[in-house]
Amino acid sequence: MRIVFPKVMDGKLNLAFFILFMCPILLNAHDWEEEEKDSSYFFYGVQVGAFFPNNNTAELYSGAPSVTNFGIDYILSIQQFQQEFNDYFRFPYYIAEYPIESRYQTSFEIGINLGYQFNKSIALFADLNAYQLSYEQFFTMGIENPLNQSPQDDFERLPILGKESRFHLNLGTQISYYNTESINAYIGLFGNVNDVELRRNYIIINNREYDIFLIDINNANQRPGGIGFGGGATLGLKFVIGDHVLGDFYYTLLSTQTNMLDNMQPRGLHHSIGFRVLWH
């Protein structure tokens, strides 16, 4: 029997595009030209935002036999846990359904930004960003309960969770497309190097955690993960906050390869939106 649960839709990013394109017209901030009489300078800063990863590698956390030989079915078959499972389910049990939709949650983005502004039109920059991705889904257990007075079995949803670390290094250039006395709006183009590592994958039954093991056949001592490459574009809006301090709203579209396993190295799009504070 298949049980279908409602699909949760991602939030739309249309508002971000609207704000970043309209702010150059609407914003009236501190005098940009007066602040930037010397238009070449080094800058550095911090950034925080939201990261919307694609779900191309999320299936790795599903605990399904197609992904690992040490998933949910393996945990349920371990002899030392049999009494615990028998006491909890009380009646014969089986896996009715693996996670229907494998997806990551939106992640917090934190990083540093530095670069050199050659003039008001062109800058070089580097970003180093860190992410902690979470996977939170459910699998379904069937319980052959003879006391439920129904032709159907009982079903129980149980959580399956995953944790993943990512680091992104972006190197590129920013080109201004709109300059006034108040603001500087720009487009950034960059290359990307990323490092991904699966930290943990586990299920919870009766408030106890049971680890799922994901082994790379070519290196049994190493967690899934590796180095990938890509590139992307940024749409940003800088404005003066104070003496030698700038604010920077940004939206980033990123296309990268995510290297999890030898047979799982998909390429896909990611999005992020956030805010920087820059000193120069």
Side-chain angles (χ1 to χ4, degrees):
M1 174 180 177
R2 179 178 178 83
I3 300 177
V4 180
F5 300 102
K7 179 179 179 181
V8 179
M9 301 299 293
D10 283 331
K12 303 299 183 182
L13 295 172
N14 294 358
L15 181 61
F17 287 107
F18 178 78
I19 291 173
L20 288 173
F21 274 115
M22 291 301 296
C23 276
I25 299 171
L26 302 177
L27 185 62
N28 184 18
H30 194 282
D31 193 315
W32 177 272
E33 288 187 351
E34 200 172 286
E35 178 74 15
E36 306 301 332
K37 289 180 180 177
D38 182 4
S39 58
S40 61
Y41 53 85
F42 288 98
F43 60 86
Y44 62 92
V46 295
Q47 59 194 45
V48 293
F51 179 64
F52 305 89
N54 67 55
N55 299 306
N56 293 343
T57 57
E59 184 184 3
L60 191 63
Y61 296 89
S62 67
S66 59
V67 175
T68 176
N69 293 325
F70 305 98
I72 300 172
D73 55 346
Y74 173 76
I75 293 172
L76 295 174
S77 69
I78 296 177
Q79 192 61 38
Q80 71 185 77
F81 299 147
Q82 290 303 300
Q83 191 60 51
E84 297 175 24
F85 297 149
N86 291 338
D87 291 343
Y88 178 73
F89 293 112
R90 297 178 55 211
F91 303 107
Y93 54 88
Y94 58 93
I95 302 171
E97 193 161 53
Y98 289 93
I100 296 173
E101 185 178 22
S102 288
R103 58 192 302 112
Y104 295 107
Q105 293 190 319
T106 300
S107 171
F108 185 65
E109 176 179 79
I110 185 168
I112 59 175
N113 177 274
L114 54 89
Y116 184 77
Q117 189 82 37
F118 290 97
N119 51 54
K120 289 192 296 182
S121 298
I122 299 176
L124 294 178
F125 75 94
D127 284 329
L128 180 61
N129 300 319
Y131 314 91
Q132 295 294 323
L133 272 61
S134 295
Y135 174 98
E136 297 183 9
Q137 296 294 323
F138 295 89
F139 67 100
T140 304
M141 294 295 296
I143 305 167
E144 299 175 358
N145 181 2
L147 306 179
N148 67 4
Q149 298 181 351
S150 169
Q152 294 185 338
D153 294 334
D154 290 344
F155 295 96
E156 182 174 353
R157 299 172 75 202
L158 295 169
I160 178 168
L161 303 100
K163 301 294 182 183
E164 180 179 315
S165 297
R166 295 190 184 186
F167 294 93
H168 284 196
L169 174 62
N170 302 323
L171 300 172
T173 184
Q174 294 175 352
I175 303 171
S176 174
Y177 69 87
Y178 190 93
N179 263 306
T180 71
E181 294 181 355
S182 301
I183 56 178
N184 189 352
Y186 66 88
I187 294 175
L189 302 173
F190 59 87
N192 169 272
V193 180
N194 63 85
D195 182 32
V196 180
E197 184 178 8
L198 185 151
R199 304 299 301 177
R200 194 182 179 201
N201 191 196
Y202 61 100
I203 63 174
I204 299 177
I205 299 177
N206 196 22
N207 297 317
R208 177 172 174 179
E209 299 175 357
Y210 300 89
D211 284 297
I212 294 172
F213 296 99
L214 295 142
I215 296 176
D216 188 336
I217 299 301
N218 296 322
N219 189 347
N221 295 319
Q222 182 177 337
R223 290 192 181 108
I227 304 295
F229 301 92
T234 295
L235 184 64
L237 176 66
K238 293 181 180 179
F239 56 94
V240 177
I241 296 177
D243 291 341
H244 303 290
V245 183
L246 304 176
D248 183 6
F249 288 107
Y250 66 89
Y251 163 78
T252 299
L253 176 65
L254 179 63
S255 174
T256 64
Q257 174 196 41
T258 304
N259 185 357
M260 292 297 285
L261 298 169
D262 288 343
N263 61 349
M264 184 179 282
Q265 301 181 17
R267 181 173 294 276
L269 294 177
H270 313 267
H271 307 264
S272 68
I273 186 168
F275 179 73
R276 299 185 182 102
V277 178
L278 302 172
W279 291 267
H280 65 94

